């Protein structure tokens, strides 16, 4: 570590260490991880750039206020287990958040070094620590307190809540509709961005803490809140996500090979369709693939189509690239992999032959006045359309509340079907808490995880009076 008079002295002016990525031409042909992560040498070099600010703006930018300068200091000291402990005070999933958080709008977006140059690569450093589980100090777990809590849904919100409750000595059972845990982390985000082995590691850590997972259990259908309370559960945390696809409501939406992104990604990411016929689930492998949307889901779908062999993958967005809500890194990765971005277009109709999609007719748009969030509204340019050939189309324009929310128990929903919950995750039912996408609408992993942690604290206080 660079020092002057025994005190840490940062490497002023040193350039940010580049990401350790596989070349675009190579990675676009397979499902292997795109980013190999920092080596120890790279992590130490990057950690030496941090100014160790007295008032660290990066911490304010983190939705769960991870003590970033402290964990970076631990990296400098080569105390990687200690660094993980610092992160785990606020975040359960460093290996995952380091890979998928939108750092450019959160911690790195606030880092002081970003004002005149490149911010510290906080996400990469977090991931570096998260990828060293063998160095993690043992998680302390309190003795059993005799209380039982059920968690519904094993996405980031459910597993964060389950982990914190297990540490407090609760008996925790997670009920999950699918055959595998992780929620969107497993069935949505592709292997090349977030390997299944990383998620399995986090789930295994929970099992080692005594958390039980009941898979293939659709809550609200196979059992409900009353069943659980009758069976001795003291509280329930509902974290079922918001995975119901929004319809485009345009002609031709029902043609073959027009997918919702969630179905397309589930086939590939969860069911291994990219290994068909070795794996049973097929997926259409188009040559010209049209993806509609500009968020992370659209990027994942487009890059997946590329890896499945499509020659042309178009990503059509109704605003411009600048307004795309996807992580910046994903947009750059997608472009490097040959994804063609079509700006300022909105789908009007799918055309087809013999029941299969053959083209998409698009309305030309332009940017108008800013909307309530300050983003300029897309406005149709009357009479200007274009038709683009495609043999597969994937709609990634957003999702709605999980329709099972109304069956979760006697809890109040808002007019869009999302569960109403306060800051601590309390619903209108004093024994049921809720958080993650089913409360906020589609958001981010870190926010879903943060909601799970807050609910765990609130449940602990309520049941143990602490
Ligand atoms: P989910 O992850 O949706 O988990 C809900 C779980 O509940 C699922 O496992 C589901 O099967 C289960 N469930 C549903 N109904 C029932 C039921 N009735 N009974 C039992 N179980 C049930 N965020 C980022 O921060 N960065 C990214 O890069 C990013 N990329 C994304 C890419 C894709 C393709 C998608 C779809 C989302 C992405 N997101 C990203 C958003 C992020 O993944 C979500 O905000 C987050 O997963 C929400 O967590 P959750 O726990 O609330 O819900
Ligand atoms: Fe380090 Fe940047 Fe945070 Fe300052 S703002 S402590 S330089 S990461």
């Amino acid at each position: 570590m660079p020092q002057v008079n025994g005190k840490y002295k940062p490497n002023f002016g040193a350039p940010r260490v580049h990401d350790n990525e596989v070349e675009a031409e190579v990675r676009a042909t397979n499902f292997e991880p795109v980013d190999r992560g920092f080596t120890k040498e790279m992590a130490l070099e990057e950690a030496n750039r941090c100014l160790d600010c007295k008032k660290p703006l990066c911490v304010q930018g983190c939705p769960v206020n991870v003590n970033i300068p402290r964990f970076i200091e631990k990296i400098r000291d080569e105390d990687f287990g200690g660094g993980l402990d610092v992160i785990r005070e606020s975040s359960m999933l460093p290996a995952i958040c380091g890979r998928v958080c939108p750092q450019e709008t959160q911690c790195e977006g606030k880092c002081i070094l970003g004002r005149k140059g490149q911010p510290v690569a906080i996400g990469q450093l977090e991931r570096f620590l998260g990828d060293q589980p063998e160095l993690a100090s043992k998680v302390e777990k309190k003795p059993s307190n005799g209380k039982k809590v059920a968690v519904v849904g094993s996405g980031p919100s459910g597993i964060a809540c389950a982990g914190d409750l297990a540490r407090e000595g609760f008996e925790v059972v997670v009920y999950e509709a699918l055959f595998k845990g992780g929620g969107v982390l497993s069935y949505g985000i592709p292997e090349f961005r977030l390997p299944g082995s990383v998620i399995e590691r986090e789930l295994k850590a929970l099992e080692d803490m005594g958390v039980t997972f009941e898979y293939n259990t659709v809550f609200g259908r196979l059992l409900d809140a009353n069943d659980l309370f009758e069976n001795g559960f003291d509280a329930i945390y509902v974290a079922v996500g918001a995975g119901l696809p929004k319809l485009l409501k345009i002609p031709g939406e029902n043609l073959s090979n027009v997918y919702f992104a969630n179905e397309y990604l589930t086939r590939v990411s969860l069911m291994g369709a990219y290994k068909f016929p070795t794996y049973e689930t097929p997926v259409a492998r188009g040559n010209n693939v049209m993806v509609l949307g500009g968020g992370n889901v659209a990027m994942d779908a487009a890059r997946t189509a590329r890896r499945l062999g499509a020659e042309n993958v178009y990503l059509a967005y109704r605003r411009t690239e600048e307004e795309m809500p996807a992580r910046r890194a994903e947009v750059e990765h997608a472009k490097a992999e040959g994804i063609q971005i079509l700006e300022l277009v909105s789908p009007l109709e799918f055309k087809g032959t013999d029941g299969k999609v053959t083209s998409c007719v698009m309305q030309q748009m332009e940017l108008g006045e800013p909307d309530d969030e300050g983003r300029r509204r897309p406005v149709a340019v009357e009479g200007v359309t274009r038709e683009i050939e495609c043999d597969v189309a994937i709609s990634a324009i957003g999702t709605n509340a999980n329709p099972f929310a109304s069956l979760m128990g006697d809890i109040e929903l808002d007019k869009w079907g999302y569960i109403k919950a306060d800051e601590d995750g309390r619903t209108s039912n004093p024994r049921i808490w809720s958080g993650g996408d089913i409360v906020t609408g589609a958001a981010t992993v870190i926010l879903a995880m943060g909601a799970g942690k807050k609910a765990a604290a609130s449940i602990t206080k309520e049941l143990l009076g602490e």
Side-chain angles (χ1 to χ4, degrees):
M1 177 195 334
Q3 289 194 340
V4 170
N5 298 333
K7 275 194 174 163
Y8 166 59
K9 179 155 185 316
N11 269 348
F12 284 114
R16 174 170 160 135
V17 175
H18 283 299
D19 292 353
N20 192 2
E21 288 165 3
V22 179
E23 297 70 29
E25 316 77 63
V26 177
R27 68 186 194 230
T29 60
N30 61 50
F31 282 79
E32 296 303 311
V34 162
D35 188 333
R36 291 172 281 228
F38 277 1
T39 60
K40 179 177 150 188
E41 290 68 32
M42 292 164 89
L44 291 174
E45 190 182 333
E46 186 61 14
N48 282 333
R49 292 182 66 231
C50 172
L51 305 183
D52 198 11
C53 304
K54 281 218 169 70
K55 286 190 182 155
L57 299 174
C58 54
V59 178
Q60 292 171 23
C62 172
V64 296
N65 303 121
V66 169
N67 194 335
I68 293 162
R70 285 291 72 74
F71 87 66
I72 294 181
E73 183 187 13
K74 295 283 182 192
I75 293 178
R76 282 196 297 270
D77 292 344
E78 298 194 31
D79 174 8
F80 303 139
L84 261 179
D85 286 343
V86 172
I87 297 178
R88 288 205 166 129
E89 285 165 15
S90 325
S91 164
M92 281 290 286
L93 309 168
I96 293 169
C97 293
R99 283 173 169 86
V100 305
C101 269
Q103 286 96 6
E104 73 273 16
T105 56
Q106 299 179 353
C107 52
E108 293 183 22
K110 288 268 163 43
C111 170
I112 193 88
L113 285 183
R115 292 200 179 158
K116 284 199 176 151
Q118 287 283 294
V120 173
I122 300 168
Q124 287 285 3
L125 294 176
E126 180 185 22
R127 170 186 165 169
F128 170 77
L129 288 177
D131 281 351
Q132 322 266 334
E134 70 282 1
L135 293 174
S137 58
K138 227 174 144 359
V139 177
E140 293 288 329
K141 187 174 176 275
K142 293 185 184 165
S144 169
N145 59 36
K147 305 267 183 198
K148 262 169 90 169
V149 182
V151 172
V152 185
S154 66
S157 202
I159 58 183
C161 184
D164 277 9
L165 289 171
R167 264 192 247 179
E168 288 296 331
F170 288 96
E171 182 184 338
V172 183
V173 182
V174 180
Y175 294 96
E176 168 56 54
L178 296 172
F179 63 91
K180 219 178 184 181
V184 167
L185 307 176
S186 286
Y187 76 74
I189 301 180
E191 184 75 19
F192 57 83
R193 201 149 73 82
L194 179 59
S197 55
V198 174
I199 304 156
E200 274 154 29
R201 205 166 68 202
E202 300 296 347
L203 293 171
K204 167 90 177 34
L206 288 182
E207 282 171 0
D208 290 347
M209 279 202 282
V211 175
T212 310
F213 287 84
E214 297 281 351
Y215 292 114
N216 302 307
T217 308
V218 182
F219 197 79
R221 288 280 153 125
L222 285 182
L223 74 173
D224 63 17
N226 288 337
D227 297 325
L228 293 186
F229 292 136
E230 277 166 23
N231 279 304
F233 282 91
D234 299 283
I236 303 176
Y237 179 62
V238 178
V240 290
L244 183 72
K246 269 188 193 153
L247 294 173
L248 283 160
K249 296 186 182 155
I250 60 172
E253 197 171 8
N254 291 331
L255 286 166
S256 271
N257 298 345
V258 178
Y259 288 93
F260 290 119
N262 272 18
E263 182 201 339
Y264 183 79
L265 290 171
T266 301
R267 280 174 181 267
V268 180
S269 304
L270 186 72
M271 312 300 286
Y274 62 100
K275 294 179 190 156
F276 181 81
T278 312
Y279 282 36
E280 280 177 6
T281 304
V283 72
R285 290 174 181 249
N287 207 25
N288 298 306
V289 178
M290 172 65 69
V291 180
L292 306 166
N296 289 320
V297 185
M299 296 299 151
D300 285 344
R303 297 172 70 199
T304 296
R306 185 80 169 153
R307 283 161 174 76
L308 289 174
E311 198 172 322
N312 293 304
V313 182
Y314 307 104
L315 208 142
Y317 184 52
R318 59 199 187 127
R319 292 182 163 100
T320 69
E321 186 187 318
E322 212 176 303
E323 286 91 25
M324 282 183 169
R327 290 177 84 220
R328 198 63 229 161
E330 309 314 327
V331 180
E332 294 307 329
H333 283 161
K335 288 198 314 192
E337 290 164 13
I339 310 300
Q340 301 168 53
I341 294 183
L342 307 178
E343 294 180 320
L344 293 167
V345 282
S346 176
L348 283 177
E349 176 185 4
F350 292 114
K351 290 187 178 171
T353 309
D354 299 332
K356 288 188 181 166
V357 68
T358 53
S359 70
C360 182
V361 182
M362 317 282 265
Q363 168 71 57
Q364 185 66 48
M365 312 296 281
E366 62 185 357
L367 290 182
E369 294 301 311
D371 61 17
D372 296 344
E373 290 164 16
R375 289 199 309 168
R376 289 180 67 193
R377 225 183 282 268
V379 184
V381 181
E382 284 312 320
V384 186
T385 61
R386 59 199 283 206
E387 184 170 347
I388 295 169
E389 274 183 31
C390 60
D391 44 8
V392 167
I394 305 164
S395 167
I397 60 155
T399 50
N400 288 320
N402 185 318
F404 285 113
S406 59
L407 306 173
M408 295 299 158
D410 184 17
I411 41 179
E412 219 180 302
L413 308 182
D414 69 15
K415 63 178 172 180
W416 297 282
Y418 292 98
I419 295 175
K420 279 188 176 179
D422 70 10
E423 265 292 293
D424 294 329
R426 286 176 171 280
T427 68
S428 57
N429 184 323
R431 297 168 83 185
I432 302 181
W433 280 252
S434 183
D437 281 6
I438 189 57
V439 169
T440 56
T444 59
V445 171
I446 190 89
L447 286 173
M449 192 203 70
K453 285 181 75 69
K454 275 190 193 162
S458 174
I459 293 170
T460 305
K461 198 169 167 199
E462 179 69 26
L463 296 186
L464 303 183
E466 288 172 4

